[in-house]
Amino acid sequence: MELLEGIETRRSFRAFKSTPIPRDVVEKILKTASKSPSYTNTQPWEVAVVRGKKKEELSNLLYELAKSGAVPAPDIPHPKAWPPELERRSKEHGARRFQALDIEREDIQQREALRLANFEFYGAPCVLFLFIDGTLGNWSVFDMGAFAHGIVLAAHSSGLGSCIQASLGNYPDAVREFLGIPETKHLLLGISIGYPDLEARLNSYQSTRVSIDDFVQWYS
């Protein structure tokens, strides 16, 4: 797959086939992503690859926490507010997605089921949890964004789909305890990876992008 084509055609998937991903394919994806740039070449990324029985057990744990109403306590706090234009984009995105899925605003049950599907990893056979050392700051978080983008592009090039999920960072203590990861490591997010189920209704929606005229100013 040509590079620009890969960037332009990558999308998020929220329904996957149960087909396992060979370990060597996952290793290739991570090796490729490790070529991502980082501040002074610090390469701050640390990854937990969760598959098979462990994935199912962790899914059950996180699902029950979310279902019970456990208060999220992410290591990287979620935004409390957005500038007006970004707030508008976010709300329009949510409304379009619910419309594509025929979920009414008042349908609390279906909205809750959609939220909880995050913690089932959308049926993906493999989940990557991205960590950094807790002493690191904004530049390293920025580096992790580049690394995460490298992962999803490499997965796309390998014929796989992916979904970056901030919600998988909602209960970092539970994830760390389950995986035996030190408290000194901060959990940023999870990325579900698998062969996308192209027939699934959840995959019928694609997000939109603003024109470059909305975010670029030219100077000469």
Side-chain angles (χ1 to χ4, degrees):
M1 182 184 298
E2 194 269 332
L3 177 60
L4 292 182
E5 178 189 0
I7 294 173
E8 291 174 352
T9 59
R10 183 220 59 84
R11 52 170 296 202
S12 295
F13 290 96
R14 289 180 172 81
F16 297 90
K17 299 176 181 179
S18 59
T19 308
I21 306 172
R23 176 168 173 156
D24 65 316
V25 173
V26 179
E27 289 178 342
K28 176 61 176 176
I29 289 169
L30 293 173
K31 184 176 181 179
T32 301
S34 73
K35 302 295 184 181
S36 301
S38 62
Y39 186 75
T40 66
N41 199 36
T42 45
Q43 305 173 65
W45 35 79
E46 300 181 38
V47 184
V49 181
V50 186
R51 307 185 298 165
K53 182 180 178 181
K54 280 289 188 181
K55 187 212 70 171
E56 298 301 328
E57 292 174 350
L58 183 53
S59 173
N60 291 336
L61 173 62
L62 296 178
Y63 185 95
E64 290 303 320
L65 282 170
K67 185 179 180 181
S68 70
V71 179
D75 292 327
I76 306 298
H78 297 312
K80 294 182 179 179
W82 297 101
E85 182 61 20
L86 276 63
E87 178 76 12
R88 181 189 64 78
R89 292 176 195 167
S90 178
K91 288 183 176 179
E92 288 181 354
H93 165 70
R96 285 193 296 265
R97 187 153 70 102
F98 286 130
Q99 183 179 21
L101 299 174
D102 284 337
I103 299 178
E104 301 293 336
R105 179 181 296 274
E106 300 78 15
D107 194 337
I108 297 175
Q109 185 174 358
Q110 282 203 62
R111 284 176 173 249
E112 177 66 359
L114 190 61
R115 181 183 76 88
L116 292 175
N118 277 282
F119 305 98
E120 296 175 313
F121 312 135
Y122 297 119
C126 179
V127 188
L128 311 179
F129 287 87
L130 273 54
F131 292 86
I132 60 172
D133 190 278
T135 63
L136 298 176
N138 291 342
W139 278 108
S140 293
V141 174
F142 177 86
D143 294 340
M144 292 299 292
F147 179 68
H149 193 218
I151 288 174
V152 298
L153 287 177
H156 181 38
S157 180
S158 301
L160 298 166
S162 64
C163 186
I164 297 177
Q165 297 172 251
S167 58
L168 297 186
N170 281 356
Y171 307 107
D173 288 337
V175 175
R176 278 189 289 264
E177 181 179 358
F178 181 83
L179 297 177
I181 291 174
E183 294 181 359
T184 56
K185 305 301 180 181
H186 281 185
L187 173 59
L188 272 69
L189 49 82
I191 305 178
S192 293
I193 295 179
Y195 298 96
D197 181 354
L198 299 179
E199 303 300 320
R201 186 71 178 272
L202 275 173
N203 287 331
S204 64
Y205 171 73
Q206 292 191 47
S207 59
T208 61
R209 293 293 184 271
V210 299
S211 164
I212 68 167
D213 293 333
D214 292 327
F215 62 86
V216 177
Q217 296 187 48
W218 299 87
Y219 300 88
S220 59

